[in-house]
Amino acid sequence: MDLKEGSDNYVHGYSNREALRLNDQADTLDNIIHNDTIFPKESFVLEAGCGVGAQTKIIAAKNPDSNFISVDISEDSLNEAGKLIKSLCIKNVEFKQADLYNLPFKDAIFDSAIVCLVLEHLHDPVKALNELKRVLKTGGTLIAIEGDHGSALFYPDSKYAHSAIECQIQLQKQSGGNSNIGRELYPLFKSIGLSDVVISPRMIYADASRPWLVNGFIKNTFTTMIEGVRNKAIQEGITDRLTFEKGIKDLYRTTEPDGVFCYTFFKGTGTKI
Amino acid sequence: MDLKEGSDNYVHGYSNREALRLNDQADTLDNIIHNDTIFPKESFVLEAGCGVGAQTKIIAAKNPDSNFISVDISEDSLNEAGKLIKSLCIKNVEFKQADLYNLPFKDAIFDSAIVCLVLEHLHDPVKALNELKRVLKTGGTLIAIEGDHGSALFYPDSKYAHSAIECQIQLQKQSGGNSNIGRELYPLFKSIGLSDVVISPRMIYADASRPWLVNGFIKNTFTTMIEGVRNKAIQEGITDRLTFEKGIKDLYRTTEPDGVFCYTFFKGTGTKI
């Protein structure tokens, strides 16, 4: 092997590794959802329901020339979010405690408002969306991103796995929320009178050729979330332990080399007129 | 209004109309599935299970520098397909009657093989895929496109609508097929030893902002297909007339201005090594 051939091999090798790495990065959940969460320069953006800052850190870093006010009802979450953003040296976010149904802002001051994985928890999403619309300038854009548990599709299929997912859906419903709200973004946006409403579905498709999604999404995001309702679902009599455990086992079964798992997030945008 | 302003308005108007028209064209079902069905120049391609030529006309027209042999078991379908292709002045397709399990071709003669919406009907899709692999050259690519009725997701949701869809799934199963085969393309391709297997889900998302899909897909493709099993499903006792009609009514309900409908096709590609 001469130097030239060696260099070529290195270059190709590097190039392949680099491509894989970039692909790996680009194909994470965050990028599937936020690849196009780009605001015009110097936008003044409200992030509603920021929680511990999981989305804040992505959208603020992707839009360094815009300024964000990120609000949440929970002081504890805001403290966590503040620490996270500080640790990442992100400077364009201000946090504020606020009730989504009654925002402490004047009318028509924001260029954009974004709400990620929050509407599913609300008993009155229309009221919250109207409140977001109120604080948007005319011509301002509203963005909402929500999942939909009814979109979970997998191989091997399993009625037990569907039954375990249904436990989460039922408990969310009992709390006044809606785990299947993603499919409703279009009627929700239209119902508050937004124009130019466009819904863009973002499917997470995971099989063994995409191990970062098998681990990052099926195992560590989705199945972990469903496992989290085990005790409550059993206590409330929505399921029994044996059925639930079989469902969780079958969800993990989809992470084996011949398994497949799909889940769809819906991203809606609309304009205040 | 001066000429300049007039021109500007015209240009913008034209541009918007043009964008809408292009979007309209590009966002049809065929383009969602076949936008990237492009073979290298002078490819020799087998289309397996061409039926009446619904896919043939698209892929042959998109690849004028390649030559296609399109096969089907049904002589009647082949006659229809032949007339269609002739009426469109498409010259690069030759039709041949053939059994997918026992193709009348020597080993390793095709650069590519494509099978669209066919595997769902077969009792032994692995046998058919192996037969397609046999006639592919080493390094040749296999493409399969299949739907998955389990992916149907809609607003308003309706257990009756799901029950009507389930009738089609059950009848397909009784005939030895699998209406939910889309999600299985990855394990199917891996099981026959293809390399570089990549599955690309193609979701059809329809709401009132995409009227061509509301009409072209929800009404005229999907719901029409489900309606087609009415009599057989009732005869076989899989459903009763009242339940089925309620399901069909609820499927049409999703085409109203606040309705939403999603369905996912899966496109798999793999290489013979």
Side-chain angles (χ1 to χ4, degrees):
Chain A
M1 187 189 286
D2 65 19
L3 188 62
K4 189 178 167 295
E5 195 183 322
S7 314
D8 273 350
N9 281 347
Y10 172 73
V11 169
H12 291 150
Y14 180 81
S15 165
N16 283 342
R17 280 205 309 277
E18 182 66 7
L20 252 178
R21 193 187 65 78
L22 291 173
N23 193 29
D24 216 81
Q25 279 192 335
D27 211 9
T28 60
L29 178 58
D30 294 342
N31 267 290
I32 292 170
I33 291 176
H34 286 304
N35 68 313
D36 55 354
T37 308
I38 304 293
F39 300 99
K41 271 195 176 184
E42 296 178 20
S43 289
F44 184 41
V45 183
L46 173 64
E47 185 202 6
C50 65
V52 298
Q55 311 299 318
T56 316
K57 71 171 194 279
I58 302 160
I59 58 179
K62 280 179 92 90
N63 294 276
D65 299 314
S66 291
N67 286 302
F68 293 82
I69 294 195
S70 295
V71 304
D72 204 273
I73 192 108
S74 157
E75 205 177 333
D76 288 348
S77 293
L78 285 170
N79 287 336
E80 286 297 311
K83 276 187 237 166
L84 174 67
I85 293 304
K86 201 175 169 187
S87 76
L88 297 168
C89 298
I90 294 171
K91 309 277 190 197
N92 55 337
V93 184
E94 186 185 315
F95 291 98
K96 196 174 175 78
Q97 196 173 7
D99 176 0
L100 282 195
Y101 295 126
N102 188 17
L103 293 168
F105 303 114
K106 289 184 189 158
D107 292 359
I109 62 167
F110 291 100
D111 298 301
S112 289
I114 181 166
V115 58
C116 301
L117 314 178
V118 169
L119 299 176
E120 61 172 320
H121 301 292
L122 305 181
H123 66 274
D124 194 347
V126 172
K127 188 175 174 185
L129 288 170
N130 266 314
E131 184 65 355
L132 290 171
K133 186 185 163 197
R134 179 185 68 76
V135 301
L136 273 181
K137 294 176 188 166
T138 299
T141 56
L142 180 61
I143 301 172
I145 300 168
E146 295 292 333
D148 191 311
H149 288 5
S151 73
L153 178 83
F154 35 86
Y155 177 82
D157 202 4
S158 153
K159 65 177 180 177
Y160 295 103
H162 284 292
S163 152
I165 296 169
E166 190 60 30
C167 292
Q168 201 281 346
I169 294 172
Q170 286 305 320
L171 287 170
Q172 183 80 293
K173 201 178 281 182
Q174 286 179 22
S175 311
N178 178 2
S179 296
N180 295 356
I181 202 168
R183 73 188 76 179
E184 292 187 37
L185 286 185
Y186 184 77
L188 285 169
F189 271 37
K190 293 297 281 186
S191 74
I192 65 162
L194 296 179
S195 80
D196 299 320
V197 175
V198 175
I199 308 298
S200 165
R202 310 288 165 104
M203 181 186 279
I204 313 293
Y205 171 87
D207 63 31
S209 70
R210 309 178 193 203
W212 57 94
L213 284 175
V214 172
N215 286 307
F217 189 72
I218 314 182
K219 282 187 187 166
N220 302 333
T221 302
F222 189 80
T223 306
T224 305
M225 176 196 62
I226 299 300
E227 279 189 284
V229 305
R230 176 190 283 111
N231 291 340
K232 192 147 194 219
I234 295 166
Q235 273 165 25
E236 302 265 337
I238 299 172
T239 189
D240 60 86
R241 190 168 296 274
L242 211 67
T243 306
F244 191 84
E245 295 303 344
K246 179 94 177 72
I248 296 299
K249 197 182 152 206
D250 286 354
L251 284 173
Y252 280 114
R253 171 66 184 83
T254 70
T255 68
E256 290 184 24
D258 65 345
V260 173
F261 193 97
C262 307
Y263 184 93
T264 302
F265 291 90
F266 293 82
K267 184 169 190 170
T269 58
T271 304
K272 177 177 176 177
I273 46 173
Chain B
M1 188 188 286
D2 65 19
L3 187 64
K4 187 177 169 295
E5 197 182 321
S7 316
D8 273 349
N9 280 347
Y10 172 72
V11 169
H12 290 149
Y14 180 81
S15 163
N16 283 342
R17 280 204 309 278
E18 182 65 9
L20 252 177
R21 192 187 66 78
L22 291 173
N23 192 29
D24 217 80
Q25 280 193 336
D27 211 9
T28 59
L29 178 57
D30 293 342
N31 268 290
I32 292 170
I33 291 177
H34 286 304
N35 68 312
D36 55 354
T37 308
I38 305 293
F39 301 99
K41 271 193 175 184
E42 295 176 22
S43 289
F44 184 42
V45 183
L46 173 65
E47 186 201 6
C50 64
V52 297
Q55 311 299 317
T56 316
K57 72 172 194 279
I58 302 161
I59 57 179
K62 281 180 91 92
N63 294 277
D65 299 313
S66 291
N67 287 302
F68 293 82
I69 294 194
S70 294
V71 305
D72 203 273
I73 191 106
S74 157
E75 205 177 332
D76 288 348
S77 293
L78 285 170
N79 286 336
E80 286 297 313
K83 277 187 237 167
L84 175 67
I85 293 305
K86 200 174 169 188
S87 76
L88 297 168
C89 298
I90 295 171
K91 310 274 190 198
N92 55 337
V93 184
E94 187 187 314
F95 292 98
K96 197 174 173 79
Q97 196 174 6
D99 176 0
L100 282 195
Y101 295 127
N102 187 17
L103 293 168
F105 304 114
K106 289 182 189 159
D107 292 359
I109 61 167
F110 290 101
D111 299 300
S112 288
I114 181 164
V115 58
C116 301
L117 314 177
V118 169
L119 299 177
E120 60 171 321
H121 301 293
L122 305 181
H123 67 272
D124 194 346
V126 172
K127 188 174 174 186
L129 288 170
N130 267 315
E131 184 64 354
L132 290 172
K133 186 185 164 197
R134 179 184 69 75
V135 301
L136 273 182
K137 294 177 189 166
T138 299
T141 55
L142 180 60
I143 301 173
I145 301 169
E146 295 292 334
D148 192 311
H149 288 5
S151 73
L153 178 84
F154 36 84
Y155 177 83
D157 202 3
S158 152
K159 66 177 179 177
Y160 294 102
H162 283 292
S163 152
I165 296 168
E166 189 60 30
C167 291
Q168 201 283 346
I169 295 172
Q170 285 306 319
L171 288 171
Q172 183 80 291
K173 200 179 282 180
Q174 287 179 22
S175 312
N178 178 1
S179 297
N180 294 356
I181 202 168
R183 73 187 76 179
E184 292 187 38
L185 286 185
Y186 184 78
L188 284 169
F189 271 37
K190 293 298 281 186
S191 74
I192 64 162
L194 296 179
S195 80
D196 299 322
V197 175
V198 175
I199 309 298
S200 164
R202 309 287 165 104
M203 181 186 281
I204 313 294
Y205 171 87
D207 63 30
S209 70
R210 308 178 193 204
W212 58 93
L213 285 174
V214 172
N215 286 306
F217 189 72
I218 314 182
K219 283 186 187 167
N220 302 333
T221 303
F222 190 80
T223 305
T224 303
M225 176 196 63
I226 299 300
E227 279 189 283
V229 305
R230 177 190 283 111
N231 291 338
K232 191 149 194 218
I234 295 166
Q235 273 164 26
E236 302 265 337
I238 297 171
T239 188
D240 60 85
R241 190 167 297 272
L242 211 67
T243 306
F244 191 84
E245 294 305 343
K246 179 95 178 73
I248 296 299
K249 197 182 152 204
D250 286 354
L251 284 174
Y252 279 114
R253 171 66 184 83
T254 70
T255 68
E256 290 184 24
D258 65 346
V260 173
F261 194 95
C262 307
Y263 185 92
T264 302
F265 292 90
F266 293 82
K267 183 170 191 170
T269 59
T271 304
K272 177 177 175 177
I273 45 173

